[in-house]
Amino acid sequence: ESDVLTLPRAQVRALLRSGDGSAALLYLFLAEAGGEKKETEICAALHWSSADLSAAVERLRALGLLGETRKVEEPLSASFAALRQAVGEKLCRLMTEKDDDMLLGLYSDLGLGADVIFSLVGHCVERTERRYGPGRRPTMRQVEKEGYRWKRLGLVSAELVEEYLKDYARRQQIMPQMMEALRLGSRDPVNREATFLARWIEWGFPPDVVEYAYEITIFKCGKLEWRYLDGILRDLHKKGVHTLEEISAKDRPPQTGRSE
């Protein structure tokens, strides 16, 4: 028995991020009680109904905080500590408390596995070095932002991440050819340009068709108009035409009959 109640920092942070006051109150009650309590005792102490208690229990279970503190804390701490060390080495930096908060958010709140997060960090490092030069590293804020994007894309398993990274590498190989086709030289595309290029690659257009659309755009507009060029390719995509051969066949007049 002690006058001081010690709580695991990682679990407190998870509760704070959840924003669920009822779950936090139940967590504090159980931690202070130091043992199992009957449902009626908890409801009486917190002035809750059974429905209130059930909702708070489900939220704690979703956060991985239900059960004995030791059973929950140790596996999380061990695996997270290993991940934290690996990420710090990958980023070539000493992890700060703020870095830990963001990393824990990806790991605990978003539910990304350690293997997924490590691939995420490697992907961010590769992008940063390609853009700014060898040895440059992203910030944890940039890693966190990309992690939330991966979550929205459903990249939550090693298999899905591997497939995504292969497709990303393929797009990165094609983009320089696209830039050459648009007479933009060998520089990297800016974000807005990359959005258009990624869309055209996803639609299945090779660089020579982009060059074809570019020449039409220059003829009609007198300069590179991204939206006009995008409209040409969008129309071809809707028609299911994606190669120069298919474009030529589309423009070829139909044969009305055989010659004698």
Side-chain angles (χ1 to χ4, degrees):
E1 190 72 22
S2 172
D3 292 334
V4 178
L5 180 63
T6 303
L7 301 174
R9 183 184 296 273
Q11 297 183 14
V12 172
R13 288 173 178 168
L15 284 167
L16 291 174
R17 289 195 190 91
S18 75
D20 192 318
S22 296
L25 183 59
L26 177 59
Y27 177 87
L28 289 173
F29 177 83
L30 294 175
E32 195 280 332
E36 294 185 2
K37 289 288 183 179
K38 295 181 180 178
E39 178 180 328
T40 53
E41 292 178 309
I42 298 174
C43 289
L46 300 180
H47 307 288
W48 281 355
S49 66
S50 295
D52 294 331
L53 177 58
S54 296
V57 165
E58 286 305 312
R59 185 56 178 157
L60 284 184
R61 182 174 289 116
L63 292 170
L65 302 181
L66 195 63
E68 292 184 44
T69 301
R70 184 173 300 277
K71 290 181 179 178
V72 174
E73 179 189 2
E74 287 182 356
L76 176 63
S77 298
S79 57
F80 182 74
L83 174 63
R84 179 183 183 276
Q85 180 179 350
V87 169
E89 291 174 355
K90 193 75 172 175
L91 295 178
C92 300
R93 61 181 294 159
L94 293 174
M95 298 289 284
T96 66
E97 185 173 338
K98 187 173 291 186
D99 293 335
D100 289 348
D101 284 342
M102 289 183 279
L103 183 60
L104 185 61
L106 297 174
Y107 183 75
S108 181
D109 297 350
L110 289 192
L112 300 181
D115 53 350
V116 171
I117 293 176
F118 193 70
S119 296
L120 167 69
V121 174
H123 173 65
C124 291
V125 168
E126 187 271 331
R127 286 198 318 177
T128 301
E129 286 193 327
R130 187 179 64 252
R131 185 166 184 177
Y132 299 109
R136 298 296 295 272
R137 290 293 184 269
T139 64
M140 265 305 300
R141 180 67 67 189
Q142 291 170 322
V143 172
E144 180 189 48
K145 182 179 179 181
E146 183 68 7
Y148 274 86
R149 194 176 79 86
W150 278 29
K151 180 67 173 184
R152 290 194 300 272
L153 293 174
L155 303 177
V156 295
S157 70
E159 294 77 13
L160 292 172
V161 168
E162 182 180 5
E163 184 177 342
Y164 169 79
L165 292 180
K166 284 181 180 178
D167 184 65
Y168 178 84
R170 180 183 65 84
R171 284 187 279 120
Q172 292 306 306
Q173 290 177 346
I174 297 176
M175 278 197 181
Q177 301 172 42
M178 294 285 199
M179 294 291 284
E180 291 288 346
L182 297 173
R183 311 296 191 269
L184 295 175
S186 58
R187 67 173 176 83
D188 289 335
V190 299
N191 289 340
R192 186 60 177 160
E193 293 170 341
T195 299
F196 280 109
L197 297 179
R199 180 188 303 161
W200 302 338
I201 293 170
E202 184 180 348
W203 284 346
F205 289 112
D208 56 359
V209 174
V210 172
E211 185 175 18
Y212 164 85
Y214 166 81
E215 291 174 351
I216 294 177
T217 301
I218 295 298
F219 180 77
K220 294 289 187 180
C221 305
K223 61 179 181 178
L224 174 55
E225 290 284 356
W226 287 87
R227 291 188 181 278
Y228 189 90
L229 198 159
D230 184 66
I232 295 173
L233 295 176
R234 185 183 299 274
D235 185 59
L236 290 174
H237 180 60
K238 288 180 179 178
K239 294 176 180 177
V241 178
H242 296 90
T243 66
L244 290 179
E245 292 76 11
E246 291 172 342
I247 293 172
S248 298
K250 198 79 173 176
D251 293 338
R252 194 178 301 135
Q255 297 183 359
T256 57
R258 294 186 303 175
S259 58
E260 295 295 336

